Amino acid sequence: MKPHVICHMVASADGRIWSSRWRPANTPAAKLFEPLHEQLAGDAWLVGRVTGREFAKREAYPTDPVARLPREPWFARRDAAAYGIVLDAHGKIAWGRSDIGGDPIVVVLTEAVSDAHLAGLRADNVSYVFAGKQALDLGLTLEIVNRELGVKRLLLEGGGIANGEFLRAGLVDEISLVIAPAIDGARGGPHVYDSADQTAGPPPLTAMMLQQCQVLDGGAVWLRYTLAYG
C-alpha cells in the first residue's frame, strides 16, 4: 500500500518556484502555499534534501566513532497528526531540531549512511527509516511511511528534482498547482518538475484530468489534476 500522493506547488507563469525572483515582486500569490497546504489536509508532507536543508539548524553532526546501529526504522514519535518527511539518502543534513512547524521530522536514508549520523539524528529526536542500500527506492519509501506511520495522504512539495523523480516513477496521483500572476524569466532557477540527470526521460503520463480550476485572490489560478500512467 502507498499513500495518495498530491504534488502541491506554487509557481510563476513560467513554471519557476523561487518567488524571490518573481516580478512583479511581492505578489500575494506567493503566500498562498501554506493555507492551501492546510486545506489539502495531508497526513504528511515530503521534500527533497536541498529543500530540507533550508530548515536545518546545525552545520554537521560529530563524526567520532560510535557503536554500530541497526539499519532499521527508528521513531522518536509515532502519534503525530502530520509528519515532515525529508529525503536525505546519504545523511547530509544535521538538523538541530526535531520538528518543522510542529510536524515531527522523519528522514529517509539509505543503509550507506554512517553510524555517527544515525547517532546525531537520535540525539536530535529525529526519526528515520531506510529505503535502499545505496540509492533511495521512492516506491518503498511510500510503502514504509504508510505501514509504519499510517500515512494515507501525502503532500509532495519539492523541490523540482524530488518532484520530477516521483513523477517519472509514476508515483504522483494528483497535482495541485497554483499559477501566480508573475514571471521569473531568468536562467538557473528550479522548475516545478526538474531533473539532476540530463538524460532523464519524460514521465510515463498518459492523461491529466482537470478536476478543479479556481481563481484565487490577486489573480492566481489553482489547478488540480488527477494523473494516469501507462
Side-chain angles (χ1 to χ4, degrees), residues 1-201:
M1 293 288 292
K2 81 168 188 68
H4 181 82
V5 177
I6 303 171
C7 185
H8 174 56
M9 299 292 288
V10 176
S12 62
D14 53 345
R16 303 298 189 93
I17 58 177
W18 280 350
S19 60
S20 61
R21 306 199 321 182
W22 295 354
R23 297 295 182 274
N26 302 316
T27 172
K31 298 180 181 180
L32 290 171
F33 180 86
E34 286 297 336
L36 296 181
H37 167 100
E38 295 299 325
Q39 188 171 326
L40 289 169
D43 301 312
W45 50 268
L46 184 150
V47 298
R49 178 180 58 82
V50 174
T51 302
R53 191 188 289 275
E54 296 174 6
F55 298 100
K57 294 185 175 181
R58 296 182 62 173
E59 291 297 321
Y61 288 134
T63 57
D64 300 333
V66 298
R68 177 72 176 175
L69 292 168
R71 286 347 188 223
E72 58 188 31
W74 184 86
F75 296 102
R77 285 188 61 186
R78 303 181 73 153
D79 59 349
Y83 299 90
I85 301 171
V86 181
L87 305 179
D88 188 19
H90 301 292
K92 301 295 185 182
I93 304 175
W95 289 98
R97 64 192 302 173
S98 62
D99 67 86
I100 299 171
D103 299 335
I105 300 167
V106 181
V107 180
V108 184
L109 307 165
T110 64
E111 295 178 18
V113 71
S114 70
D115 294 301
H117 188 79
L118 297 182
L121 294 175
R122 290 189 180 205
D124 277 341
N125 286 319
V126 171
S127 302
Y128 58 80
V129 301
F130 297 93
K133 293 187 177 297
Q134 298 291 332
L136 291 181
D137 181 327
L138 299 181
L140 178 59
T141 296
L142 297 179
E143 292 175 12
I144 290 171
V145 299
N146 173 266
R147 180 178 69 245
E148 299 287 348
L149 297 172
V151 175
K152 295 179 172 58
R153 186 175 175 88
L154 182 142
L155 306 183
L156 172 63
E157 297 177 338
I161 291 175
N163 293 346
E165 289 176 346
F166 274 89
L167 191 66
R168 283 187 293 276
L171 296 171
V172 179
D173 301 294
E174 182 180 340
I175 289 173
S176 164
L177 177 63
V178 176
I179 303 297
I183 297 288
D184 180 317
R187 297 184 65 183
H191 295 80
V192 176
Y193 297 99
D194 218 327
S195 171
D197 184 354
Q198 293 183 351
T199 65

